[in-house]
Every structure is written in C-alpha cells, then in structure tokens.
C-alpha cells in the first residue's frame, strides 16, 4: 500500500492527476491512498508525544488535548501553505471543522520574491481571517509543521503577531507529515469528518421554465428543455462524515434521448453556494463518469446517482433502478482540463 501526501488546498483534478501518475508508475488503483498533509501532521502529533522547539515542557501538548478542543494546523511546506482547523473527537480521532485554505506561499517564495515578506504577509493575513471568525473563537493552539516551519524568521513573526495563541512546533517539523501519513495508511478512520471546500454538482436538463435564458432552450421529442442546469449534490462548507458507506442523498436522472445506450455524468465544482447553471461564472468542469445502459431496457430508464466526498477523493455510485445494475468509480479528468 502506497500513501501519497497532497496539499489540502488541492482540488479534485489535481488529486486525480496524482492517481494518473501512480497508474503510469504501475501502482494499482487499490494499492494507493491520498492523505491530506495537514491531517497527516495532526495525526502524528496526536498519537506520538512530540517535543517542541521552545523552552519548557511542550511535550504531549497536542496529544493531551481533550475532546472538543480545536487547533489550527499550519503546514508551511516548500511550495504551498496549507491551513486546516481540527477538533479532537476522541483519544486518537479528529474532525475537520473548517474548509482548508492557503496558497502558494511556501519556502520557495523566499527565493523568488524579496526574501520573506511575501510569504509572511500572506500567511498572517490568512490566519487573521480565520481567527476573526465567530465559529473559531475557541481556537487557542497553532500547530506549525512542514519544512519551511523550521525557519525562525517565520516562527518569530507568528509569535509576535499572535501572542495569545499557543504555538507548537515539533522538533522535526518536516517529518510530521511523513510520519502521520504512515499512521493514516494503517488507520484512515482517524479522521471522522471533513468540510467540503467546493459546491459539487452534475450538469443536467429539466423542463424549460419562465426566466430561463433562451440560449438554454433545446427541443427534445417536441418538448422544451433547459440545458446546462447545475444539479447540486454537495454545498461548500457542508460537513461530510467519513466512511466508505457515507454516500449522500441520491438524485434521480433519466436519459435525455430514448435511444441512448450510455450516459456521461459531467461533474462541476464552484465556490458559489447555489449556482443555477454550469456555465455560471466560477463553475469548472472537473471530470466525468461513463455509465453504459442496459440495451434491452425499454420505457423509463431511471438512474440514481449518489456521491461520497468524505474521503480525500470524490467517489460516485450510479444505479439503474429497473435492473439494479451499478457502477462505482472515481473520475476521469476532462479532456480539455488545464
């Protein structure tokens, strides 16, 4: 089993790209899992007593947190800055309480920009926005990991800016993700829930309604239909329980044409909570799922689609109602993706 760590701020297309690379490296699909880097770091620091780069007894400070305690994970790597907020749910379990955020403010920017200013300004601004949120008012601890977190320029700037927040820095901050990934590989159930970073939905058609743009009108078997409708399955900020069986409520669809032999479900994401059409600003095509219909079926061929986005990837399950035929899978990258 291979565990590949990826930034939490990566979208589904980037994660799927990693799977495509693994496939080319001859790693079987069922022998790889993706671990989010801030989660891996949290798991390591929760399970293993860690010393810190400060005077005094900082040992076990993360591991000793009681259920309900919340802390920020700042994973300051070479390329990206990943920020996640976790809550302790049990002796060895955690849940995400806010969607991951961050940017390309890692260590390499020290070389590319005028030293540290660019990285520090962006990291501090992002942390300030998080700490200003009412729902995060109880956060009192900042766990700093990643290779760039060994920089005293970074850590001293954080201590100066956030003097009321307790800071925990493992002695080997660059290894926290690696060690946590090993633990995650043995027990993926350590993370009990995550927060959706995007709104996810399917492009579909429905009856044409008053107010729909004329450009969306199509005629199918003499009936006016509206194309490019965004059918929402997951909303940004939604809490998603983790588990292979944690599929969300199913949505039903029927083939657009009577003689269709297959269906391609096209998936989109957006930062908008309630988009109306898949062509709205900010909507991106992220992949597709191909489903072959049973040829001998006649009449209404209803399909039920449900998705599970509680893991580090998005899994879909489509069922042909009449025959109970199912197809489960991950996504193909769209051919026009950048």
């Amino acid at each position: 089993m291979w565990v590949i760590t990826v930034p939490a701020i990566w979208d589904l297309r980037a994660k799927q790209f990693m799977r495509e690379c693994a496939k080319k490296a001859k790693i079987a699909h069922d022998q790889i899992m993706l671990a989010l880097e801030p989660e891996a770091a949290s798991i390591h620091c929760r399970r293993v007593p860690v010393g810190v780069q400060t005077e005094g007894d900082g040992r076990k400070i993360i591991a000793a947190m009681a259920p309900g305690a919340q802390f920020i994970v700042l994973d300051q790597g070479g390329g990206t800055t990943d920020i996640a907020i976790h809550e302790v749910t049990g002796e060895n379990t955690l849940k995400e309480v806010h969607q991951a955020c961050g940017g390309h403010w890692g260590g390499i920017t020290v070389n590319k920009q005028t030293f540290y200013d660019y990285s520090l300004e962006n990291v501090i601004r992002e942390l300030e926005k998080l700490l200003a949120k009412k729902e995060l008012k109880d956060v009192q601890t900042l766990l700093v990991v990643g290779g760039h977190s060994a920089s005293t320029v970074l850590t001293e700037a954080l201590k100066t800016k956030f003097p009321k927040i307790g800071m925990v820095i493992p002695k080997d901050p660059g290894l926290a993700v690696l060690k946590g990934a090993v633990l995650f590989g043995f027990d993926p159930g350590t993370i009990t829930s995550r927060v959706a970073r995007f709104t996810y939905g399917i492009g579909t058609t429905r009856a044409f309604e008053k107010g729909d743009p004329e450009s969306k009108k199509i005629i199918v078997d003499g009936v006016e239909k509206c194309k490019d409708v965004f059918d929402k399955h997951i909303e940004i900020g939604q809490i998603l329980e983790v588990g292979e069986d944690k599929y969300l409520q199913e949505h039903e669809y029927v083939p657009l044409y009577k003689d269709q032999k297959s269906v391609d479900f096209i998936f989109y994401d957006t930062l908008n909570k309630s988009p109306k059409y898949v062509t709205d600003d900010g909507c991106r095509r992220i992949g597709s799922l191909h489903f072959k219909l049973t040829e001998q079926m006649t009449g209404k061929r209803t399909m039920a689609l449900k998705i599970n986005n509680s893991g580090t990837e998005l899994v879909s399950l489509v069922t042909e109602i009449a025959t109970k035929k199912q197809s489960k899978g991950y996504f193909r990258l769209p051919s026009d993706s950048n």
Side-chain angles (χ1 to χ4, degrees), residues 166-236:
M167 189 179 304
V168 180
I169 311 167
K171 286 185 177 177
D172 295 311
L175 295 180
V177 171
L178 171 65
K179 293 179 178 180
V182 175
L183 293 170
F184 178 78
F186 281 107
D187 186 10
T190 300
I191 304 298
T192 60
S193 68
R194 295 187 174 91
V195 180
R197 291 190 60 237
F198 297 92
T199 295
Y200 297 98
I202 307 295
T204 187
T205 60
R206 56 162 168 76
F208 193 82
E209 300 174 350
K210 184 178 180 180
D212 287 329
E214 285 295 317
S215 61
K216 299 295 183 187
K217 183 187 292 186
I218 58 174
I219 307 297
V220 180
D221 295 329
V223 179
E224 293 183 347
K225 299 279 188 178
C226 182
K227 66 177 181 177
D228 296 333
V229 175
F230 192 110
D231 187 31
K232 180 171 64 176
H233 280 249
I234 297 174
E235 185 175 290
I236 185 172

Side-chain angles (χ1 to χ4, degrees), residues 96-100 192-201 230 232-242 246-251 270-274 307-311:
E96 187 179 48
V97 295
H98 189 280
Q99 59 261 45
T192 60
S193 68
R194 295 187 174 91
V195 180
R197 291 190 60 237
F198 297 92
T199 295
Y200 297 98
F230 192 110
K232 180 171 64 176
H233 280 249
I234 297 174
E235 185 175 290
I236 185 172
Q238 183 175 339
I239 303 296
L240 304 169
E241 291 186 52
V242 172
K246 300 297 184 181
Y247 285 93
L248 301 175
Q249 182 178 6
E250 64 184 22
H251 293 210
T270 178
L271 293 174
N272 186 346
K273 280 191 174 184
S274 299
I307 59 180
N308 182 340
N309 193 35
S310 66

Side-chain angles (χ1 to χ4, degrees), residues 8-9 43 62 264 266 285 290:
I9 59 172
I43 292 169
I62 294 293
D264 284 300
I266 310 299
R285 178 180 172 180
H290 183 77

Side-chain angles (χ1 to χ4, degrees), residues 96-115:
E96 187 179 48
V97 295
H98 189 280
Q99 59 261 45
C101 56
H104 297 278
W105 314 318
I108 59 174
T109 62
V110 176
N111 296 333
K112 290 184 176 181
Q113 309 287 336
T114 358
F115 294 117

Side-chain angles (χ1 to χ4, degrees), residues 43 46-47 89-94 187 189-191:
I43 292 169
R46 276 289 294 165
R47 294 220 179 167
T89 56
E91 183 179 354
N92 290 319
T93 56
L94 300 162
D187 186 10
T190 300
I191 304 298

Side-chain angles (χ1 to χ4, degrees), residues 1-2 16 19-20 22-23 26-34 313-315 328-331:
M1 176 61 70
W2 294 79
Q16 181 63 18
R19 279 203 168 268
E20 296 293 330
K23 182 179 179 181
K26 311 299 182 184
I27 301 176
H29 187 278
D30 60 354
Q31 288 182 309
I32 181 176
M33 65 172 66
L34 301 183
E313 300 167 90
L314 197 154
V315 184
K328 176 182 179 181
Y330 296 88
F331 296 97

